[in-house]
Amino acid sequence: MILFFEPGDAQKFRHVCEITSIVPRQKFQHTWTFPDYSAGVSTLTWELSDEEGKTRVRLSHDGLENFAESGNEFARANFDAGWEEIVTQNLINYLIQ
């Protein structure tokens, strides 16, 4: 089990994840939950593939409807914006270092 909070001082959202599948160099899958706000569980799948000598990362987040009762902070648009920033900016910056 992996437990963490979002970056920053607020630490409002406790994330709890459990790894469900690993296929080396191909796929990493885990649950994504917010037990302080919802009993819902979602699943993230990170898929890696070779594309012309580079690695393509494909992220899918399924089960977001399971957080519907938790309010607007858990709307799909918020997750989409967050993952967009993580994958296209934060991950790239981390890998460059």
Side-chain angles (χ1 to χ4, degrees):
M1 183 179 334
I2 302 164
L3 167 70
F4 64 96
F5 289 88
E6 73 282 354
D9 296 331
Q11 296 194 344
K12 182 176 180 182
F13 299 104
R14 180 172 58 116
H15 303 68
V16 179
C17 305
E18 185 175 323
I19 298 168
T20 57
S21 177
I22 296 175
V23 179
R25 298 187 178 127
Q26 293 179 18
K27 182 174 87 170
F28 175 67
Q29 192 170 57
H30 59 91
T31 62
W32 189 265
T33 65
F34 300 93
D36 299 329
Y37 293 89
S38 174
V41 177
S42 63
T43 302
L44 274 105
T45 304
W46 301 79
E47 295 175 284
L48 307 175
S49 59
D50 181 58
E51 190 170 288
E52 299 178 11
K54 298 179 181 179
T55 301
R56 174 177 288 278
V57 176
R58 180 177 184 270
L59 172 65
S60 57
H61 192 168
D62 299 310
L64 290 176
E65 67 278 2
N66 297 329
F67 304 130
E69 83 287 354
S70 301
N72 289 337
E73 291 175 306
F74 295 88
R76 174 168 284 285
N78 291 333
F79 282 100
D80 288 348
W83 291 123
E84 179 75 18
E85 180 179 340
I86 288 168
V87 172
T88 64
Q89 295 175 30
N90 299 353
L91 180 59
I92 290 170
N93 291 336
Y94 175 79
L95 294 172
I96 289 172
Q97 295 178 359

